[in-house]
Amino acid sequence: MDMPLYKSVMSRYTTGVTVLTFWADQTAAGMTANAFMSVSLAPPLVLTSIRLTSRFNHHVRLGTRFGINVLADNQRTLSSHFGGRAIKGIELPFSFYEQVPLLEGSLAHIVVKTVDIHPAGDHMLYISEVDYVKLGEQRKPLVFFSGLYPPIQASTPLLSWSTAPDSW
């Protein structure tokens, strides 16, 4: 396998950007993750894929609750900070839902409880049950494509899932 080619091909898939927020040594912490997806509606389950070397693996185990923050296009700084390029002196806008840290200003918040963990190559796959969801302000999402955060042309959604037709 040509690994540089493989990485280039995989980078062509545009994703949204999330920050997973959790407790690390009694401090609110986070990590940027774009490997996130919905798995099931009944029960509501999501999946996150975490590199084996991430400190997330040391702090989030079966039964651990953590937050998933869907970032807006004006939260690029938070993506960089939690993605390994720490910004000295940054004000982190943490708020809390039942003691789970969340980032204020996100497009959406999801609080989950880890129900299964699977090894997968150089990553761990976390299957988590959704406990809580909240929509934030309607703004453009932060997206990741080919190693960059390109601007996108998008209108804000007119309907939330709660008001969307059942046929969706």
Side-chain angles (χ1 to χ4, degrees):
M1 172 67 71
D2 180 338
M3 290 311 288
L5 177 59
Y6 176 69
K7 288 172 98 175
S8 290
V9 167
M10 297 313 297
S11 76
R12 296 303 194 266
Y13 182 67
T14 303
T15 64
V17 181
T18 67
V19 170
L20 310 181
T21 45
F22 56 98
W23 288 103
D25 303 321
Q26 300 174 345
T27 301
M31 66 160 284
T32 300
N34 62 354
F36 160 77
M37 64 180 275
S38 173
V39 173
S40 169
L41 292 176
L45 298 172
V46 297
L47 177 142
T48 51
S49 180
I50 310 297
R51 185 179 301 137
L52 287 175
T53 57
S54 173
R55 70 182 181 146
F56 182 92
N57 298 307
H58 301 287
H59 300 287
V60 177
R61 306 204 186 289
L62 287 176
T64 302
R65 294 174 77 220
F66 64 95
I68 301 169
N69 305 269
V70 179
L71 297 189
D73 66 349
N74 68 339
Q75 292 179 300
R76 182 176 171 181
T77 302
L78 292 175
S79 175
S80 296
H81 177 78
F82 289 114
R85 294 176 296 283
I87 300 168
K88 189 174 181 176
I90 189 173
E91 290 286 328
L92 298 174
F94 283 115
S95 61
F96 300 89
Y97 174 79
E98 294 183 356
Q99 301 182 322
V100 175
L102 297 169
L103 292 170
E104 292 180 12
S106 298
L107 290 179
H109 292 135
I110 307 167
V111 174
V112 300
K113 180 174 76 173
T114 306
V115 296
D116 214 349
I117 303 171
H118 299 276
D122 60 359
H123 280 64
M124 299 296 286
L125 303 179
Y126 285 74
I127 307 291
S128 302
E129 188 163 7
V130 176
D131 288 341
Y132 169 80
V133 294
K134 178 184 175 190
L135 287 173
E137 291 181 34
Q138 293 186 1
R139 293 192 314 274
K140 291 181 182 178
L142 183 63
V143 298
F144 193 69
F145 173 77
S146 198
L148 301 170
Y149 298 100
I152 64 166
Q153 299 299 320
S155 59
T156 56
L158 298 176
L159 297 174
S160 69
W161 281 106
S162 62
T163 59
D166 287 338
S167 61
W168 284 16

